Amino acid sequence: MKVNPARFAQMAVRVFDVDPEGKSESDIAYEGIDRLVAFWTSLGAPTRLDYYDIDDSKIDVMVEKAMVYGEFGNFAKLKDEDVKEILQASL
């Protein structure tokens, strides 16, 4: 979201029918993210790592495994510190 809010805003409007009228690009994007979480929840799908009994003690191992082939990502290349931040936000 921080790197490409326009992409998330586009998803919000096209997939979740977020009305962009009078909203900033960030507001649109965050509303789309909220609707995505609500959708997953409606399916009974876990939305947080703690649903899998994953706590912060496992973050470093997960980062290491995610980064085994180096940087990755479509919107922006994720580095180990990026992956760690995402995982910590998902607890």
Side-chain angles (χ1 to χ4, degrees):
M1 167 55 198
K2 293 177 190 176
V3 173
N4 196 341
R7 193 75 185 245
F8 283 84
Q10 181 183 57
M11 182 259 320
V13 171
R14 290 183 177 177
V15 177
F16 292 103
D17 295 321
V18 171
D19 180 4
E21 189 67 33
K23 298 174 188 167
S24 71
E25 190 171 67
S26 284
D27 289 340
I28 297 165
Y30 281 119
E31 186 174 338
I33 291 168
D34 289 342
R35 290 189 187 190
L36 177 60
V37 171
F39 172 71
W40 283 333
T41 301
S42 76
L43 298 175
T47 58
R48 315 269 320 152
L49 291 176
D50 63 353
Y51 287 110
Y52 296 101
D53 294 324
I54 296 172
D55 60 28
D56 62 347
S57 69
K58 299 173 182 159
I59 296 291
D60 289 333
V61 172
M62 292 172 67
V63 170
E64 185 178 317
K65 290 181 184 242
M67 299 305 297
V68 71
Y69 297 111
E71 295 178 3
F72 65 93
N74 291 326
F75 298 129
K77 293 297 179 193
L78 298 176
K79 300 178 176 123
D80 56 352
E81 59 268 12
D82 302 316
V83 173
K84 187 170 187 170
E85 181 181 340
I86 291 166
L87 291 170
Q88 286 173 328
S90 300
L91 290 174

